[in-house]
């Protein structure tokens, strides 16, 4: 028996920590990830409270359907979720619903799981959380019009938003090899930069290291080369969402970006959070797409659809926090730098997928598509330091008196996200962390 949406909304778990009101991972979330505990090989799991449901152990105990157990076995051999992502959204939903029944407080299926209890669960604090998938290709978009306008007005004061912006989702192909899991240190990159007044560029450590707060989408299913994905079908190719920090060296970027766009200013590291929050879990938090102001053009037909317009957005609250090494030494908690919402994005995730494939480009299971910096209309909701400190002209004051225009060595950036509304259980994304190491 598969529970209906009503019973899922209020269902409880026998895992005590999943019932705490502020947990990111109640029974209603059940995001997928890959973890390593003690000396064992990486294996697939599902976050529940402060525990991980060890899917390989669940399969070994005979608690999954044959189809789900076979997929879990493949993912375990692979040390990545790619086989599950390749199987598509229905298979992912099928496995997730089985996990929900095993973890629910009052389902008949849960008795066997509960009896085995701790044998199926791993303490998240004791596990190393890895990248969820082998990511073959990574694309970064630029879907916040607020971000595009702010950055444009700094780099091109007379022409902030380029004329194509409202017509075509802007993106670039990122580099998959330098995607790193949350918690991995990020080394300050070396590169070329040139001060406006200087006659020639210099080479050395970036002096304008920045983060970018982004939402990532893991592709499932995929499309054959030459076969575009229609807008109404786009979300069936998204397994779920995560947090992405697109670390950026602004001085390198402003010197190198013309005419072909971001390159070495971006591809030295990109941090990815460990849990893939499924679109099924995000269903209660759907909202209409960003309402285009009067005077903006409607999207072209291939990017235009009623379902996308009325339900293509997601009300995800996103937050950035910073700690410096001196703050940590003094026991001062991280400082919130910004808080905003994914509702402010000009283009929906479905539009990004459809546009990406509109020329026939093939997306593959495990590919990562990032939204671009999530910035809102207000200064408090700007998702990178370039905007938050307005190119360093309005430095942030940290609680211990330090100031920040851009990131210093020893700074740690923490991205968080969650969804909440009346009548639904709050769910969260966990964290995406990265600590700046010296050049
Ligand atoms: Mn970016």
């Amino acid at each position: 028996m598969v529970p209906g949406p009503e019973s899922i909304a209020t269902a409880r778990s026998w895992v005590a920590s999943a019932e705490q009101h502020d947990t990111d991972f109640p029974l209603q979330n059940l995001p997928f990830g890959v973890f390593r505990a003690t000396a064992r090989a990486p294996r697939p799991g599902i976050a529940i409270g402060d525990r991980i449901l060890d899917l390989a152990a669940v399969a070994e105990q005979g608690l999954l359907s044959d189809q789900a157990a076979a997929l879990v076995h493949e993912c375990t051999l692979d040390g990545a979720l790619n086989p599950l992502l390749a199987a598509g959204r229905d298979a992912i939903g099928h496995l997730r619903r089985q996990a929900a029944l095993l973890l629910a407080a009052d389902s008949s299926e849960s008795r066997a799981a509960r009896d085995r209890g701790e044998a199926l669960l791993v303490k998240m604090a004791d596990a190393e959380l890895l990248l969820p998938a082998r990511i073959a290709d990574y694309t970064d978009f630029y879907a916040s019009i607020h971000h595009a306008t702010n950055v444009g007005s700094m780099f091109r004061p007379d022409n902030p938003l380029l004329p194509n912006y409202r017509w075509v989702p802007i993106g670039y192909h990122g580099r998959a090899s330098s995607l790193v899991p949350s918690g991995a240190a990020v080394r300050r990159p070396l590169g070329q930069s040139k001060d406006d007044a200087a006659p020639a560029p210099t080479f050395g450590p970036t002096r304008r290291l920045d983060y970018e707060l982004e939402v990532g989408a893991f592709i499932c299913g995929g499309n054959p080369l030459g076969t575009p994905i229609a807008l109404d079908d786009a979300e069936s190719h998204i397994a779920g969402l995560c947090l992405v920090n697109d670390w950026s060296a602004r001085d390198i970027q402003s010197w190198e970006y013309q005419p072909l766009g971001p390159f070495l200013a971006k591809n030295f590291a990109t941090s990815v959070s460990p849990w893939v929050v499924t679109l099924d879990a995000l269903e209660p938090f759907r909202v209409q797409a960003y309402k285009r102001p009067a005077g903006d053009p409607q999207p072209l037909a291939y990017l235009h659809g009623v379902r996308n317009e009325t339900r293509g957005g997601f009300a995800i609250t996103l937050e950035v926090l910073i700690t410096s090494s001196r703050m940590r030494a003094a026991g001062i908690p991280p400082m919130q730098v910004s808080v905003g919402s994914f509702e402010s994005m000009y283009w929906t995730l479905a539009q990004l997928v459809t546009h990406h494939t509109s020329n026939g480009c093939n997306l593959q299971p495990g590919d990562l598509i990032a939204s671009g910096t999530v910035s809102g209309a207000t200064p408090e909701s700007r998702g990178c330091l370039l905007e938050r400190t307005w190119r360093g002209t309005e430095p942030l004051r940290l609680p211990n008196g330090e100031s920040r225009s851009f990131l210093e060595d020893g700074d740690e950036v923490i991205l968080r996200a969650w969804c909440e509304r009346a009548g639904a259980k709050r769910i969260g994304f966990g964290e995406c962390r990265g600590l700046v190491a010296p050049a």
Side-chain angles (χ1 to χ4, degrees):
M1 247 288 282
V2 173
E6 311 77 26
S7 56
I8 286 175
T10 54
R12 300 167 61 83
S13 174
W14 53 266
V15 179
S17 57
E19 291 305 315
Q20 282 169 9
H21 73 279
D22 58 346
T23 182
D24 278 349
F25 308 118
L27 187 65
Q28 287 70 19
N29 193 348
L30 304 183
F32 289 90
V34 173
F35 70 99
R36 178 162 37 210
T38 57
R40 302 168 94 166
R43 41 173 66 196
I46 284 179
I48 178 77
D50 62 7
R51 298 288 197 274
I52 302 169
L53 180 68
D54 180 341
L55 288 170
V58 174
E60 279 158 25
Q61 296 288 329
L63 300 175
L64 295 177
S65 72
D66 290 350
Q67 183 214 9
L71 285 172
V72 165
H73 182 64
E74 283 183 62
C75 290
T76 307
L77 290 177
D78 226 18
L81 297 177
N82 294 67
L84 181 64
L85 296 170
R89 254 193 81 174
D90 288 349
I92 297 164
H94 180 65
L95 175 54
R96 182 170 165 276
R97 281 192 299 276
Q98 288 183 61
L101 289 172
L102 294 173
L103 292 166
D106 47 12
S107 76
S108 51
E109 291 86 345
S110 73
R111 213 154 298 137
R114 200 174 188 160
D115 289 347
R116 291 164 177 86
E118 294 298 314
L120 306 179
L121 297 174
V122 173
K123 280 186 189 151
M124 205 183 290
D126 294 344
E128 186 189 353
L129 304 178
L130 308 172
L131 287 176
R134 264 179 295 98
I135 302 167
D137 268 310
Y138 158 56
T139 301
D140 195 21
F141 281 94
Y142 198 52
S144 161
I145 195 168
H146 307 293
H147 174 68
T149 305
N150 287 336
V151 172
S153 68
M154 284 178 243
F155 284 77
R156 299 176 303 272
D158 48 334
N159 188 17
L161 194 68
L162 294 171
N164 59 1
Y165 189 85
R166 293 181 174 89
W167 294 98
V168 56
I170 303 295
Y172 67 95
H173 285 299
R175 181 140 189 107
S177 66
S178 51
L179 294 167
V180 294
S182 173
V186 171
R187 190 167 295 283
R188 179 179 297 275
L190 305 175
Q192 260 197 45
S193 61
K194 182 186 162 305
D195 290 337
D196 288 342
T202 56
F203 183 83
T206 177
R207 288 164 296 153
R208 296 193 158 195
L209 183 61
D210 200 356
Y211 59 80
E212 289 190 340
L213 165 67
E214 306 198 11
V215 169
F218 276 97
I219 296 297
C220 61
N223 61 306
L225 183 62
T227 310
I229 297 174
L231 188 62
D232 281 342
D233 193 31
E235 284 189 358
S236 70
H237 295 268
I238 299 175
L241 309 184
C242 65
L243 292 167
V244 173
N245 183 344
D246 177 23
W247 302 91
S248 299
R250 301 303 184 189
D251 43 0
I252 299 171
Q253 184 181 359
S254 61
W255 173 235
E256 77 169 6
Y257 88 106
Q258 297 194 77
L260 286 186
F263 183 38
L264 301 181
K266 299 275 195 177
N267 70 5
F268 56 94
T270 304
S271 301
V272 180
S273 68
W275 296 111
V276 183
V277 177
T278 64
L279 291 201
D280 291 341
L282 289 163
E283 192 65 29
F285 308 102
R286 283 184 177 278
V287 290
Q288 64 178 7
Y290 181 82
K291 253 213 145 24
R292 294 187 168 215
D296 279 19
Q298 286 305 307
L300 294 178
Y302 77 103
L303 293 175
H304 188 72
V306 172
R307 194 192 133 74
N308 178 67
E309 215 167 282
T310 53
R311 296 182 44 78
F314 292 94
I316 303 168
T317 304
L318 296 144
E319 177 187 48
V320 181
L321 305 104
I322 287 185
T323 69
S324 68
S325 50
R326 281 175 51 196
M327 284 170 67
R328 290 192 299 280
I332 301 170
M335 182 184 88
Q336 186 189 70
V337 179
S338 72
V339 62
S341 174
F342 198 57
E343 291 174 82
S344 63
M345 302 305 270
Y346 197 78
W347 299 101
T348 64
L349 293 168
Q351 285 171 320
L352 301 184
V353 166
T354 292
H355 181 65
H356 202 316
T357 63
S358 60
N359 65 345
C361 174
N362 50 331
L363 297 178
Q364 301 182 87
D367 282 2
L368 182 67
I369 285 183
S371 62
T373 306
V374 183
S375 289
T378 62
E380 296 71 33
S381 60
R382 293 174 182 158
C384 63
L385 284 179
L386 178 69
E387 291 172 87
R388 197 70 186 88
T389 71
W390 209 255
R391 217 176 185 174
T393 59
E394 299 165 20
L396 291 173
R397 176 74 50 189
L398 303 186
N400 61 349
E402 292 180 272
S403 85
R404 282 294 179 278
S405 296
F406 290 95
L407 297 169
E408 305 278 338
D409 294 346
D411 286 355
E412 185 172 31
V413 177
I414 306 161
L415 312 182
R416 289 185 191 147
W418 63 92
C419 302
E420 53 191 346
R421 72 159 177 82
K425 220 24 166 323
R426 174 197 183 278
I427 64 170
F429 282 63
E431 293 182 334
C432 183
R433 302 177 86 106
L435 195 129
V436 178

